[in-house]
Amino acid sequence: MSIQETIKQMAVAAKKASRNMANLSTVAKNNALLKMAEALLAQKPYIQQENEKDLVAGRTKGLSSAMLDRLALTDKVIDSMVGGLREVAALPDPVGEIDEMAKRPSGITVGRMRIPLGVIGMIYESRPNVTVDAAALCLKAGNAIILRGGSEAIHSNLALAKVLQESLAAEQIEAAAVQVIPVTDREAVTAMLALDDQIDLIIPRGGEGLIRFVAENSRIPVLKHYKGVCHVFVDGSADLEMAVNIVMNGKVQRPGVCNALECLLVHKDIAAAFLPKVWSALKGAGVELRGCPQSKAILPEITAALPTDFGMEFLELILAVRVVDDLDAAMAHIIQYGSQHTEVIVTNSYGNGQRFLREVDASAVMINASTRFTDGGQFGLGAEIGISTTKLHAYGPMGLKELTTRKFIVYGEGQVRA
Amino acid sequence: MSIQETIKQMAVAAKKASRNMANLSTVAKNNALLKMAEALLAQKPYIQQENEKDLVAGRTKGLSSAMLDRLALTDKVIDSMVGGLREVAALPDPVGEIDEMAKRPSGITVGRMRIPLGVIGMIYESRPNVTVDAAALCLKAGNAIILRGGSEAIHSNLALAKVLQESLAAEQIEAAAVQVIPVTDREAVTAMLALDDQIDLIIPRGGEGLIRFVAENSRIPVLKHYKGVCHVFVDGSADLEMAVNIVMNGKVQRPGVCNALECLLVHKDIAAAFLPKVWSALKGAGVELRGCPQSKAILPEITAALPTDFGMEFLELILAVRVVDDLDAAMAHIIQYGSQHTEVIVTNSYGNGQRFLREVDASAVMINASTRFTDGGQFGLGAEIGISTTKLHAYGPMGLKELTTRKFIVYGEGQVRA
């Protein structure tokens, strides 16, 4: 059977499973999730033995130690997947929720009922824990999921899927509800992206190259973010100590993630006072600062920024810095270089804060808080399946609700249209 | 300048305009809409003179009288556009609406603010009133719109756009907020569909061929419905007189629209009692009934249905009919042949009604009401820009809110992530 046929068969089975899943009781879904948690613990030796195959292959291939770290299903990683499953079981079930019921002038009563999307296709790299986290969220939202992970994690992903599927069977849920594609070449991705009759939504997670490939080749709607180029603008009225804390947290706490800070904008009125303060803290944490000419005039020892440093997602201990004339100049910089992920103003001006909140076009806009808060858990969504920086369907962190949609329901007593 | 360059320039101007439109006050938008209404009335002679050019060309080309009817900007049609503009001005402004504000354990306050999508691309056929109706809704939701109508209405569309743009200028809104593409060949559509950096959403309205072409060639998200194959299932416990009314209204009131009834499913227990009643009413209205063998056994004079009659969008006075064993058989038929538009059960069984509402996958599911109610106005959305039968972003009739999205907003007092 060709790759195309294999994947088509999997997608047809997923579609069929999804029809039954839409009507599963909350109890059945939660039981399956808790059963999965138990099964991961019980089958830890098997999972780790399969994971070891990936690790051996990875070492032979010469993967970096960071990549091997991300690949390893240590006891701690498995515990965290188990915790994730239990947390998702504890979340409220969005499916079946009814709201906006209202009687219309015609006499009919119209409302909206939340329903699953159907089949979700997940395309991701390295980290095998995505297999479990994504499957849990999709199951809770009543969707089937088809997972296509990276080649370096294939044994781990297939082992995890096997354990999850056994737990589904125990609750009479079809195994096709959670499937890992056993083929890891790019042809498998292309085949998946053509199945718009079976798959309702594609969520890619990984590097910009993978995401662009998916977006450009998909006939299925894609929820994605390419990169997180997050800014902090320190306004003229900012509390400078607060601003230092927010900058440090954004840049240093976890520089490799998409909500890390990449560029600092400083109001010219406070640049001479603020830049030495923040530079002293950043330097202490090993951060390289790349500044515009005005910043360099204040801090001669920092690197001169190249034009490409603005709009750059460094993902390491490097920060671009630019002195701007005012709020409008800061917002113009953000329009030009931002990635619609997270934008922050530090200010004590009510008016400037409100203008920034209203006018900046990003999935998360903040006053006086760290960029690092952009996260499904921190925002109260419970858990996160990804972040969208495009506006259709979802914008920002996506939780269970973003894996559903709403249909209209109508109660009548025989009304017809006049 | 090539077609591609022309359209790219228009889209770049639209994107620029959309940034300012996102921050327009409700008053400014409403004033522009009311000004447009006045201008349509004041410039009626000019509009009708341009429309006459299209009508002359249409008659020469041999367009059907139905098509010429749809093309004509009679006084009545212009009055209806004027009324539409005033209605949209009276609708609440969705932009800036904030909800779900909540304090999180970290101390930050997180909520969601409704914002425009940006630039909408509308691709449509014949009816020039779409130019005005769609522009009004997009403007009210703070979006710029690029309209690409059919060649047969080009003079009318350009004249309408000119009048609308003059009204924008009076309120200091950039003219690029509403643009009609002056090129009507398909190349213009293809060029538009490639501009995913400028256009945020494509809404096609027209025949299935146009919509498929758009869906298959777009790199921009598309909200669409291919067709409306709506069913009424008359359950064993139905009030037969109510069922006759609902069937008649669905099929006869306006057979050419997407929420018209195309297929009747009848529970076997009441088929012998119900079919003669409904056939007598349908026959009186000139409807051709195409029945399954069981229906034909009861009504020998009706046409025998071909397999292709099920799932067919007739859009005329033809109705398919099939006798089914029970609710499950009816729902299985709908899964196989439905188009996720509107599905109705007529029943007196509480359980069957609730199962149908919950389990049938369609954008509108109804108990004891006519399929003809699926409409933005009837559902309380105020006005409708189209109907979506796919689940991402919107499902069912789309009003002002569906032309917006929500961003996360965060109020902090210096919080950082632990």
Side-chain angles (χ1 to χ4, degrees):
Chain A
M1 196 158 42
S2 72
I3 294 182
Q4 283 75 14
E5 282 162 11
T6 305
I7 294 176
K8 175 87 181 269
Q9 278 198 1
M10 292 174 75
V12 167
K15 192 72 176 179
K16 189 172 155 287
S18 77
R19 296 198 192 284
N20 295 325
M21 293 172 73
N23 298 309
L24 284 174
S25 71
T26 305
V27 171
K29 291 187 282 191
N30 290 348
N31 283 346
L33 290 165
L34 296 174
K35 185 85 70 178
M36 286 173 172
E38 282 168 43
L40 284 188
L41 289 175
Q43 306 221 33
K44 199 194 278 188
Y46 162 67
I47 293 165
Q48 289 181 330
Q49 160 206 317
E50 292 300 301
N51 181 239
E52 187 57 32
K53 293 182 190 166
D54 289 330
L55 290 170
V56 168
R59 279 182 218 113
T60 311
K61 259 209 287 189
L63 292 189
S64 71
S65 66
M67 287 190 74
L68 289 168
D69 266 3
R70 268 180 272 167
L71 200 52
L73 291 174
T74 59
D75 286 7
K76 204 180 141 198
V77 173
I78 291 179
D79 284 349
S80 129
M81 295 190 293
V82 167
L85 284 162
R86 290 180 177 151
E87 272 168 39
V88 173
L91 290 174
D93 185 349
V95 175
E97 213 179 80
I98 294 175
D99 58 9
E100 298 187 42
M101 287 296 289
K103 192 124 177 169
R104 303 293 315 148
S106 61
I108 60 173
T109 301
V110 181
R112 298 192 176 195
M113 183 190 284
R114 198 166 280 285
I115 57 171
L117 289 174
V119 179
I120 313 293
M122 187 95 193
I123 298 171
Y124 56 112
E125 289 170 339
S126 60
R127 295 179 190 274
N129 59 308
V130 171
T131 309
V132 175
D133 297 348
L137 284 166
C138 285
L139 170 59
K140 183 74 182 236
N143 297 297
I145 187 169
I146 300 182
L147 297 134
R148 193 280 189 187
S151 58
E152 63 287 351
I154 184 67
H155 293 98
S156 313
N157 288 334
L158 287 171
L160 290 168
K162 186 164 172 283
V163 173
L164 298 183
Q165 288 185 330
E166 287 164 5
S167 308
L168 290 170
E171 289 293 325
Q172 280 85 50
I173 303 173
E174 292 168 63
V178 178
Q179 297 176 83
V180 165
I181 294 180
V183 188
T184 61
D185 45 17
R186 202 150 259 202
E187 220 184 324
V189 176
T190 313
M192 217 174 144
L193 298 178
L195 300 173
D196 52 341
D197 284 337
Q198 283 80 35
I199 303 178
D200 297 279
L201 171 65
I202 294 284
I203 303 177
R205 278 174 70 168
E208 199 178 334
L210 173 75
I211 294 172
R212 285 207 185 274
F213 179 83
V214 168
E216 280 165 23
N217 290 281
S218 185
R219 292 187 48 172
I220 305 165
V222 177
L223 285 185
K224 59 182 182 289
H225 84 274
Y226 289 125
K227 51 186 178 176
V229 182
C230 307
H231 298 77
V232 166
F233 168 53
V234 182
D235 196 10
S237 65
D239 175 324
L240 300 190
E241 203 168 318
M242 182 194 286
V244 170
N245 285 340
I246 286 173
V247 169
M248 285 293 290
N249 189 248
K251 185 70 259 180
V252 174
Q253 198 222 14
R254 209 170 157 203
V257 292
C258 62
N259 61 13
L261 176 64
E262 304 293 8
C263 181
L264 171 63
L265 301 170
V266 181
H267 193 292
K268 67 175 185 327
D269 290 354
I270 48 108
F274 178 65
L275 283 174
K277 266 188 215 287
V278 77
W279 171 227
S280 143
L282 289 165
K283 191 163 53 174
V287 176
E288 178 188 346
L289 206 53
R290 299 188 181 172
C292 68
Q294 279 171 278
S295 322
K296 243 189 101 61
I298 296 167
L299 304 172
E301 59 172 320
I302 65 172
T303 316
L306 298 171
T308 50
D309 286 326
F310 297 108
M312 177 71 84
E313 187 185 36
F314 297 110
L315 296 175
E316 50 181 319
L317 291 177
I318 303 174
L319 181 66
V321 58
R322 184 176 182 183
V323 175
V324 295
D325 282 350
D326 54 17
L327 174 63
D328 285 296
M331 293 198 299
H333 180 102
I334 289 169
I335 286 179
Q336 187 174 354
Y337 296 106
S339 61
Q340 297 180 280
H341 193 294
T342 301
E343 304 296 348
V344 171
I345 185 172
V346 184
T347 192
N348 269 314
S349 154
Y350 177 79
N352 284 358
Q354 292 300 110
R355 270 197 69 201
F356 192 89
L357 269 199
R358 229 177 17 243
E359 296 182 25
V360 168
D361 180 17
S363 65
V365 189
M366 307 182 177
I367 303 177
N368 297 345
S370 169
T371 57
R372 293 274 298 115
F373 280 115
T374 297
D375 169 90
Q378 294 293 328
F379 278 3
L381 309 184
E384 176 184 299
I385 187 111
I387 290 186
S388 167
T389 59
T390 51
K391 292 179 184 164
L392 268 284
H393 188 73
Y395 197 34
M398 299 182 286
L400 276 181
K401 274 199 181 168
E402 286 68 31
L403 293 173
T404 64
T405 188
R406 297 190 304 169
K407 66 181 176 189
F408 286 91
I409 57 173
V410 175
Y411 288 91
E413 294 95 33
Q415 284 88 350
V416 298
R417 185 105 174 249
Chain B
M1 197 158 40
S2 71
I3 294 182
Q4 284 75 15
E5 283 162 11
T6 305
I7 294 176
K8 174 86 181 270
Q9 277 196 3
M10 294 175 74
V12 167
K15 191 73 178 178
K16 188 172 155 289
S18 76
R19 295 196 192 285
N20 296 323
M21 294 172 73
N23 299 308
L24 286 174
S25 71
T26 304
V27 171
K29 291 187 284 191
N30 290 348
N31 283 346
L33 290 165
L34 297 173
K35 186 85 70 176
M36 286 173 172
E38 282 168 42
L40 285 188
L41 290 175
Q43 307 222 33
K44 199 193 275 185
Y46 163 66
I47 293 165
Q48 289 181 331
Q49 160 207 315
E50 293 299 301
N51 181 239
E52 187 57 31
K53 293 182 190 166
D54 288 331
L55 290 170
V56 168
R59 279 181 218 110
T60 312
K61 257 209 289 190
L63 292 189
S64 70
S65 66
M67 286 189 76
L68 289 168
D69 266 2
R70 268 181 272 168
L71 200 50
L73 291 174
T74 59
D75 285 5
K76 203 180 142 200
V77 172
I78 290 179
D79 284 349
S80 130
M81 294 190 292
V82 167
L85 283 162
R86 291 180 176 149
E87 273 168 38
V88 173
L91 289 176
D93 185 348
V95 175
E97 213 180 79
I98 294 174
D99 57 10
E100 300 187 41
M101 287 296 287
K103 191 124 178 171
R104 302 293 316 150
S106 62
I108 60 174
T109 302
V110 181
R112 298 192 176 195
M113 183 190 283
R114 199 167 279 285
I115 56 171
L117 288 174
V119 179
I120 313 292
M122 187 95 192
I123 299 170
Y124 55 110
E125 288 170 341
S126 60
R127 295 177 190 275
N129 60 308
V130 171
T131 310
V132 175
D133 298 347
L137 284 166
C138 284
L139 171 59
K140 182 74 181 239
N143 298 296
I145 186 168
I146 299 181
L147 298 134
R148 193 280 189 187
S151 57
E152 64 288 351
I154 185 66
H155 293 97
S156 313
N157 289 333
L158 287 170
L160 290 168
K162 187 162 172 285
V163 174
L164 299 183
Q165 288 186 330
E166 288 164 5
S167 309
L168 289 170
E171 290 293 327
Q172 281 83 48
I173 302 173
E174 293 168 60
V178 178
Q179 297 175 85
V180 165
I181 294 179
V183 188
T184 60
D185 45 16
R186 202 151 260 201
E187 222 183 322
V189 176
T190 313
M192 217 173 145
L193 298 179
L195 299 174
D196 52 341
D197 283 338
Q198 283 80 36
I199 303 177
D200 297 279
L201 172 64
I202 295 284
I203 303 177
R205 278 173 70 168
E208 198 178 337
L210 172 75
I211 294 174
R212 284 205 186 273
F213 179 82
V214 168
E216 281 165 24
N217 290 281
S218 185
R219 292 188 45 172
I220 305 165
V222 178
L223 284 185
K224 59 181 182 288
H225 85 273
Y226 289 123
K227 51 186 179 175
V229 182
C230 306
H231 297 78
V232 165
F233 168 53
V234 182
D235 196 11
S237 64
D239 175 324
L240 300 191
E241 203 168 317
M242 180 194 289
V244 170
N245 286 339
I246 287 174
V247 169
M248 285 296 287
N249 189 249
K251 184 71 261 181
V252 174
Q253 198 224 14
R254 208 168 157 205
V257 292
C258 63
N259 61 14
L261 176 64
E262 304 293 8
C263 180
L264 171 62
L265 302 170
V266 181
H267 193 292
K268 67 175 187 326
D269 290 354
I270 48 109
F274 178 65
L275 283 174
K277 267 188 214 285
V278 75
W279 171 230
S280 141
L282 289 166
K283 190 163 51 175
V287 176
E288 177 188 346
L289 206 51
R290 299 188 181 171
C292 67
Q294 279 170 277
S295 322
K296 244 189 100 61
I298 297 166
L299 303 172
E301 59 173 318
I302 67 173
T303 316
L306 298 172
T308 51
D309 286 327
F310 298 108
M312 177 71 84
E313 187 184 35
F314 296 110
L315 296 175
E316 50 181 320
L317 292 177
I318 303 174
L319 181 66
V321 57
R322 184 175 182 183
V323 174
V324 294
D325 282 351
D326 53 18
L327 175 63
D328 285 297
M331 295 199 296
H333 180 102
I334 290 169
I335 286 180
Q336 188 175 354
Y337 296 106
S339 62
Q340 297 180 279
H341 192 296
T342 302
E343 304 296 347
V344 171
I345 185 172
V346 184
T347 191
N348 269 315
S349 154
Y350 176 79
N352 283 359
Q354 292 299 109
R355 269 197 69 200
F356 192 88
L357 269 201
R358 231 179 14 245
E359 295 182 26
V360 169
D361 181 16
S363 66
V365 189
M366 307 182 176
I367 303 176
N368 296 346
S370 168
T371 56
R372 294 274 298 115
F373 281 114
T374 297
D375 170 89
Q378 295 293 328
F379 278 1
L381 309 183
E384 175 184 297
I385 186 110
I387 290 184
S388 167
T389 58
T390 52
K391 292 180 185 164
L392 268 284
H393 188 73
Y395 197 35
M398 297 183 286
L400 276 182
K401 275 201 181 165
E402 285 68 31
L403 293 173
T404 65
T405 188
R406 297 190 303 168
K407 66 181 175 189
F408 286 91
I409 56 173
V410 175
Y411 288 91
E413 294 97 31
Q415 284 88 349
V416 298
R417 184 106 175 248

